[in-house]
Amino acid sequence: MDSIYLDNNATTPTLPAVWEAMRPYLTDVYSNPASAHRAGRRARQALEDARERVAALLGAQPDEVVFTSGGTEANNLAVLGLAGDPPGHVVASPVEHPSVAEPLRRLAEVGFRVDYLPADETGVVRAGALAGLLRPDTRLVTVMLANNETGAVQPVADLLGCRPAVPFHCDAVQAVGRVPVHFGELGVTSLSLSAHKFHGPCGIGALLVRRGAKLRPLLLGGHQQRGRRPGTEPVALAVGLAAALDLAQREGAARRERVLMLRRRLLDALRREAAPVVLNGPEQGGIPHTLNLSFPGCHADALLMSLDLAGVACSTGSACSSGSLLPSPVLKAMGVPDDVLHSAMRFSLSALLTEEEIDEAARRIAAAVRRLRTLCPDSATVPS
Ligand SMILES: Cc1ncc(COP(=O)(O)O)c(C=O)c1O
């Protein structure tokens, strides 16, 4: 058995049916959708069909869908575009993805005050704390739906219950296409998604923006998408996003059931064969495809390298922070002790995996963990 891919929170393979749906818009219908000729109109029709499909699948209106280059751009656009000026106050969760956390830092640099909600030891924010943090000059609340490192699902509906008329952004990049998400019912002001997280093409995502919300564009220089995100729209990618979302919703229940079973199988095997193992995040109730485990006594970077050599592709945290030796801010916000923090690995699954692959991955991971622990035999205890 070759390499086993357990890094589906970083990206997923594009499904053949999605690629087939996209292909005509790369070969035959390749016109700029803004062009006034017949070929341009065909491209525009495909683009607007994709927009309508995405809107219908997520409980939004077509004019609430702004296509972006992915989740990072959608989050930047929401945070920087909704906060407005002059500088005021923002409330955020302490476990946001860097594509939200960094724009928040940018806001702080220009004079905004950013307050963070407290999170519990599973990485879930305490919704009741929001009311106490809101101020008359609060411009934005931003809390993700599902965490990319731990899979923890945030109580967005409860948070919205105690929110006055303040824009609320929700990074749903790890949730859309994996668990049911309905923009209208959720009631947030804006919501971000990214196609390559649910077997669509990389390079396209969307920000859903409620009608009437004041959104300042980040890019200037074009009339496309009503000026909210100028630039020639990638028609084939938009078609791919819509096709992948459609498939994800139609197969959603079966995919979730399968991924939950595979997650349980991997967790049980590693608890048996690589003890002690610490689960970072919720045992149940998180997004099913994410499993964040620490192996006290191993250093995550050494384990990542060993697993790469052994043919298991996984991650030490979010892909954006891999390559840096900094411990995960998400696990830090959860109050995870040092040895657990430095030995945390993220295994992220998809319904394409087989039971045999999961069993083989567990064997390879356990062997690597045991070998690394022999190099530092006293440290493999679970900190109290
Ligand atoms: C929660 C979350 N938000 C945003 C992003 C960024 O999405 P993209 O890779 O499409 O820029 C990611 C990617 O890992 C993510 O996990």
Side-chain angles (χ1 to χ4, degrees):
M1 195 181 285
D2 293 336
S3 185
I4 303 169
Y5 187 73
L6 304 184
D7 204 14
N8 289 278
N9 281 16
T11 197
T12 56
T14 300
L15 291 175
V18 172
W19 163 240
E20 284 308 325
M22 291 168 60
R23 194 161 40 171
Y25 301 97
L26 292 162
T27 50
D28 302 336
V29 189
Y30 48 77
S31 287
N32 188 320
S35 293
H37 44 68
R38 190 179 314 157
R41 284 198 298 278
R42 280 184 71 195
R44 157 92 21 218
Q45 187 62 52
L47 178 71
E48 294 314 322
D49 286 351
R51 195 188 305 279
E52 273 177 30
R53 215 156 144 210
V54 169
L57 288 165
L58 292 173
Q61 299 301 319
D63 61 0
E64 293 177 322
V65 179
V66 180
F67 289 122
T68 63
S69 61
T72 299
E73 186 191 331
N75 283 333
N76 271 261
L77 178 58
V79 173
L80 301 174
L82 289 172
D85 52 21
H89 176 240
V90 177
V91 180
S93 95
V95 295
E96 294 298 299
H97 185 267
S99 58
V100 170
E102 289 299 324
L104 288 175
R105 260 190 278 283
R106 174 65 61 85
L107 289 181
E109 279 166 17
V110 298
F112 277 80
R113 180 190 160 123
V114 184
D115 282 325
Y116 293 92
L117 288 155
D120 70 14
E121 66 288 349
T122 65
V124 176
V125 300
R126 298 185 201 283
L130 178 60
L133 290 177
L134 292 170
R135 305 188 337 183
D137 65 339
T138 304
R139 295 277 176 62
L140 178 68
V141 177
T142 178
V143 178
M144 69 197 329
L145 199 51
N147 187 265
N148 46 300
E149 291 190 44
T150 64
V153 171
Q154 301 299 343
V156 171
D158 294 345
L159 289 161
L160 284 163
C162 54
R163 172 194 66 126
V166 174
F168 191 116
H169 172 60
C170 182
D171 173 358
V173 165
Q174 290 293 347
V176 169
R178 275 137 165 199
V179 292
V181 174
H182 192 286
F183 180 61
E185 284 170 12
L186 202 55
V188 292
T189 311
S190 61
L191 182 143
S192 51
L193 60 132
S194 180
H196 73 109
K197 305 294 185 183
F198 49 90
H199 301 291
C202 194
I204 183 139
L207 184 68
L208 307 186
V209 190
R210 187 155 309 290
R211 276 181 182 165
K214 261 192 165 170
L215 181 78
R216 199 160 70 174
L218 294 185
L219 304 179
L220 304 172
H223 57 274
Q224 293 93 342
Q225 306 202 72
R226 296 195 287 132
R228 291 178 298 181
R229 201 289 190 176
T232 303
E233 301 94 334
V235 177
L237 294 178
V239 169
L241 190 165
L245 190 59
D246 200 2
L247 260 182
Q249 291 215 349
R250 277 191 279 131
E251 297 177 357
R255 284 189 195 175
R256 276 191 297 284
E257 197 180 318
R258 176 162 185 78
V259 170
L260 263 178
M261 178 275 289
L262 296 173
R263 180 184 189 270
R264 169 55 52 198
R265 196 175 177 105
L266 182 61
L267 180 58
D268 288 349
L270 290 174
R271 278 180 167 157
R272 248 186 347 258
E273 295 170 33
V277 168
V278 179
L279 174 66
N280 301 309
E283 177 100 25
Q284 285 174 349
I287 37 168
H289 51 282
T290 307
L291 189 57
N292 192 310
L293 297 176
S294 288
F295 302 93
C298 299
H299 201 283
D301 290 312
L303 187 52
L304 186 73
M305 257 188 281
S306 298
L307 290 178
D308 190 29
L309 290 173
V312 177
C314 57
S315 165
T316 56
S318 74
C320 311
S321 62
S322 64
S324 93
L325 293 173
L326 296 175
S328 151
V330 172
L331 299 187
K332 277 182 93 172
M334 289 160 56
V336 166
D338 267 4
D339 198 25
V340 175
L341 189 64
H342 292 293
S343 62
M345 304 295 295
R346 182 186 71 180
F347 305 108
S348 47
L349 315 182
S350 89
L352 300 177
L353 286 158
T354 63
E355 280 104 312
E356 291 70 32
E357 283 179 303
I358 290 293
D359 295 346
E360 179 58 22
R363 270 192 289 278
R364 293 181 192 179
I365 296 164
V369 166
R370 286 196 297 263
R371 196 174 53 76
L372 286 175
R373 280 184 181 145
T374 60
L375 303 176
C376 195
D378 294 336
S379 51
T381 53
V382 179
S384 53

PDB file of all heavy atoms in Angstrom, residues 226-240:
ATOM      1  N   ARG A 226     -20.787  43.204  -8.788  1.00  0.00           N
ATOM      2  CA  ARG A 226     -21.273  44.496  -8.281  1.00  0.00           C
ATOM      3  C   ARG A 226     -20.200  45.261  -7.496  1.00  0.00           C
ATOM      4  O   ARG A 226     -20.474  45.932  -6.511  1.00  0.00           O
ATOM      5  CB  ARG A 226     -22.533  44.280  -7.434  1.00  0.00           C
ATOM      6  CG  ARG A 226     -23.685  43.715  -8.295  1.00  0.00           C
ATOM      7  CD  ARG A 226     -25.017  43.822  -7.626  1.00  0.00           C
ATOM      8  NE  ARG A 226     -25.147  42.869  -6.553  1.00  0.00           N
ATOM      9  CZ  ARG A 226     -25.573  43.152  -5.344  1.00  0.00           C
ATOM     10  NH1 ARG A 226     -25.904  44.380  -5.030  1.00  0.00           N
ATOM     11  NH2 ARG A 226     -25.675  42.225  -4.440  1.00  0.00           N
ATOM     12  N   GLY A 227     -18.957  45.090  -7.930  1.00  0.00           N
ATOM     13  CA  GLY A 227     -17.848  45.832  -7.345  1.00  0.00           C
ATOM     14  C   GLY A 227     -17.395  45.276  -6.009  1.00  0.00           C
ATOM     15  O   GLY A 227     -16.382  45.700  -5.469  1.00  0.00           O
ATOM     16  N   ARG A 228     -18.125  44.273  -5.471  1.00  0.00           N
ATOM     17  CA  ARG A 228     -17.730  43.760  -4.151  1.00  0.00           C
ATOM     18  C   ARG A 228     -16.477  42.900  -4.253  1.00  0.00           C
ATOM     19  O   ARG A 228     -15.702  42.787  -3.318  1.00  0.00           O
ATOM     20  CB  ARG A 228     -18.877  42.955  -3.518  1.00  0.00           C
ATOM     21  CG  ARG A 228     -20.037  43.851  -3.123  1.00  0.00           C
ATOM     22  CD  ARG A 228     -21.172  43.062  -2.542  1.00  0.00           C
ATOM     23  NE  ARG A 228     -21.707  42.112  -3.506  1.00  0.00           N
ATOM     24  CZ  ARG A 228     -22.722  41.297  -3.270  1.00  0.00           C
ATOM     25  NH1 ARG A 228     -23.324  41.316  -2.091  1.00  0.00           N
ATOM     26  NH2 ARG A 228     -23.167  40.474  -4.188  1.00  0.00           N
ATOM     27  N   ARG A 229     -16.300  42.271  -5.436  1.00  0.00           N
ATOM     28  CA  ARG A 229     -15.079  41.498  -5.661  1.00  0.00           C
ATOM     29  C   ARG A 229     -14.773  41.596  -7.157  1.00  0.00           C
ATOM     30  O   ARG A 229     -15.123  40.701  -7.936  1.00  0.00           O
ATOM     31  CB  ARG A 229     -15.282  40.050  -5.217  1.00  0.00           C
ATOM     32  CG  ARG A 229     -13.997  39.286  -4.922  1.00  0.00           C
ATOM     33  CD  ARG A 229     -13.212  38.980  -6.177  1.00  0.00           C
ATOM     34  NE  ARG A 229     -12.130  38.066  -5.915  1.00  0.00           N
ATOM     35  CZ  ARG A 229     -11.343  37.588  -6.869  1.00  0.00           C
ATOM     36  NH1 ARG A 229     -11.510  37.938  -8.135  1.00  0.00           N
ATOM     37  NH2 ARG A 229     -10.371  36.768  -6.569  1.00  0.00           N
ATOM     38  N   PRO A 230     -14.147  42.719  -7.545  1.00  0.00           N
ATOM     39  CA  PRO A 230     -13.847  42.880  -8.959  1.00  0.00           C
ATOM     40  C   PRO A 230     -12.801  41.888  -9.447  1.00  0.00           C
ATOM     41  O   PRO A 230     -12.046  41.338  -8.649  1.00  0.00           O
ATOM     42  CB  PRO A 230     -13.326  44.314  -9.054  1.00  0.00           C
ATOM     43  CG  PRO A 230     -13.026  44.757  -7.678  1.00  0.00           C
ATOM     44  CD  PRO A 230     -13.728  43.846  -6.720  1.00  0.00           C
ATOM     45  N   GLY A 231     -12.765  41.701 -10.735  1.00  0.00           N
ATOM     46  CA  GLY A 231     -11.825  40.748 -11.346  1.00  0.00           C
ATOM     47  C   GLY A 231     -12.622  39.757 -12.174  1.00  0.00           C
ATOM     48  O   GLY A 231     -13.744  39.399 -11.793  1.00  0.00           O
ATOM     49  N   THR A 232     -12.053  39.339 -13.317  1.00  0.00           N
ATOM     50  CA  THR A 232     -12.752  38.386 -14.191  1.00  0.00           C
ATOM     51  C   THR A 232     -13.070  37.104 -13.426  1.00  0.00           C
ATOM     52  O   THR A 232     -12.184  36.498 -12.832  1.00  0.00           O
ATOM     53  CB  THR A 232     -11.876  38.074 -15.424  1.00  0.00           C
ATOM     54  OG1 THR A 232     -11.598  39.306 -16.078  1.00  0.00           O
ATOM     55  CG2 THR A 232     -12.571  37.122 -16.376  1.00  0.00           C
ATOM     56  N   GLU A 233     -14.329  36.701 -13.459  1.00  0.00           N
ATOM     57  CA  GLU A 233     -14.735  35.524 -12.700  1.00  0.00           C
ATOM     58  C   GLU A 233     -14.245  34.240 -13.385  1.00  0.00           C
ATOM     59  O   GLU A 233     -14.371  34.115 -14.604  1.00  0.00           O
ATOM     60  CB  GLU A 233     -16.260  35.452 -12.567  1.00  0.00           C
ATOM     61  CG  GLU A 233     -16.896  36.645 -11.882  1.00  0.00           C
ATOM     62  CD  GLU A 233     -17.359  37.710 -12.878  1.00  0.00           C
ATOM     63  OE1 GLU A 233     -16.777  37.782 -13.990  1.00  0.00           O
ATOM     64  OE2 GLU A 233     -18.287  38.453 -12.541  1.00  0.00           O
ATOM     65  N   PRO A 234     -13.717  33.283 -12.628  1.00  0.00           N
ATOM     66  CA  PRO A 234     -13.274  32.007 -13.209  1.00  0.00           C
ATOM     67  C   PRO A 234     -14.477  31.075 -13.377  1.00  0.00           C
ATOM     68  O   PRO A 234     -14.883  30.387 -12.440  1.00  0.00           O
ATOM     69  CB  PRO A 234     -12.285  31.479 -12.157  1.00  0.00           C
ATOM     70  CG  PRO A 234     -12.763  32.070 -10.865  1.00  0.00           C
ATOM     71  CD  PRO A 234     -13.494  33.351 -11.182  1.00  0.00           C
ATOM     72  N   VAL A 235     -15.027  31.062 -14.578  1.00  0.00           N
ATOM     73  CA  VAL A 235     -16.296  30.356 -14.803  1.00  0.00           C
ATOM     74  C   VAL A 235     -16.168  28.860 -14.494  1.00  0.00           C
ATOM     75  O   VAL A 235     -17.001  28.285 -13.786  1.00  0.00           O
ATOM     76  CB  VAL A 235     -16.773  30.568 -16.262  1.00  0.00           C
ATOM     77  CG1 VAL A 235     -18.045  29.782 -16.529  1.00  0.00           C
ATOM     78  CG2 VAL A 235     -16.993  32.050 -16.517  1.00  0.00           C
ATOM     79  N   ALA A 236     -15.098  28.230 -15.011  1.00  0.00           N
ATOM     80  CA  ALA A 236     -14.954  26.783 -14.800  1.00  0.00           C
ATOM     81  C   ALA A 236     -14.852  26.457 -13.303  1.00  0.00           C
ATOM     82  O   ALA A 236     -15.429  25.472 -12.832  1.00  0.00           O
ATOM     83  CB  ALA A 236     -13.715  26.277 -15.536  1.00  0.00           C
ATOM     84  N   LEU A 237     -14.133  27.286 -12.570  1.00  0.00           N
ATOM     85  CA  LEU A 237     -13.987  27.029 -11.132  1.00  0.00           C
ATOM     86  C   LEU A 237     -15.325  27.207 -10.414  1.00  0.00           C
ATOM     87  O   LEU A 237     -15.655  26.441  -9.497  1.00  0.00           O
ATOM     88  CB  LEU A 237     -12.935  27.966 -10.527  1.00  0.00           C
ATOM     89  CG  LEU A 237     -11.491  27.762 -11.006  1.00  0.00           C
ATOM     90  CD1 LEU A 237     -10.566  28.799 -10.363  1.00  0.00           C
ATOM     91  CD2 LEU A 237     -10.997  26.356 -10.697  1.00  0.00           C
ATOM     92  N   ALA A 238     -16.096  28.208 -10.832  1.00  0.00           N
ATOM     93  CA  ALA A 238     -17.412  28.412 -10.202  1.00  0.00           C
ATOM     94  C   ALA A 238     -18.332  27.224 -10.489  1.00  0.00           C
ATOM     95  O   ALA A 238     -19.055  26.755  -9.601  1.00  0.00           O
ATOM     96  CB  ALA A 238     -18.033  29.711 -10.718  1.00  0.00           C
ATOM     97  N   VAL A 239     -18.261  26.724 -11.724  1.00  0.00           N
ATOM     98  CA  VAL A 239     -19.059  25.541 -12.074  1.00  0.00           C
ATOM     99  C   VAL A 239     -18.603  24.356 -11.217  1.00  0.00           C
ATOM    100  O   VAL A 239     -19.418  23.580 -10.697  1.00  0.00           O
ATOM    101  CB  VAL A 239     -18.909  25.223 -13.584  1.00  0.00           C
ATOM    102  CG1 VAL A 239     -19.494  23.864 -13.929  1.00  0.00           C
ATOM    103  CG2 VAL A 239     -19.577  26.325 -14.417  1.00  0.00           C
ATOM    104  N   GLY A 240     -17.288  24.227 -11.028  1.00  0.00           N
ATOM    105  CA  GLY A 240     -16.750  23.135 -10.196  1.00  0.00           C
ATOM    106  C   GLY A 240     -17.184  23.263  -8.756  1.00  0.00           C
ATOM    107  O   GLY A 240     -17.535  22.270  -8.104  1.00  0.00           O
TER     108      GLY A 240
END
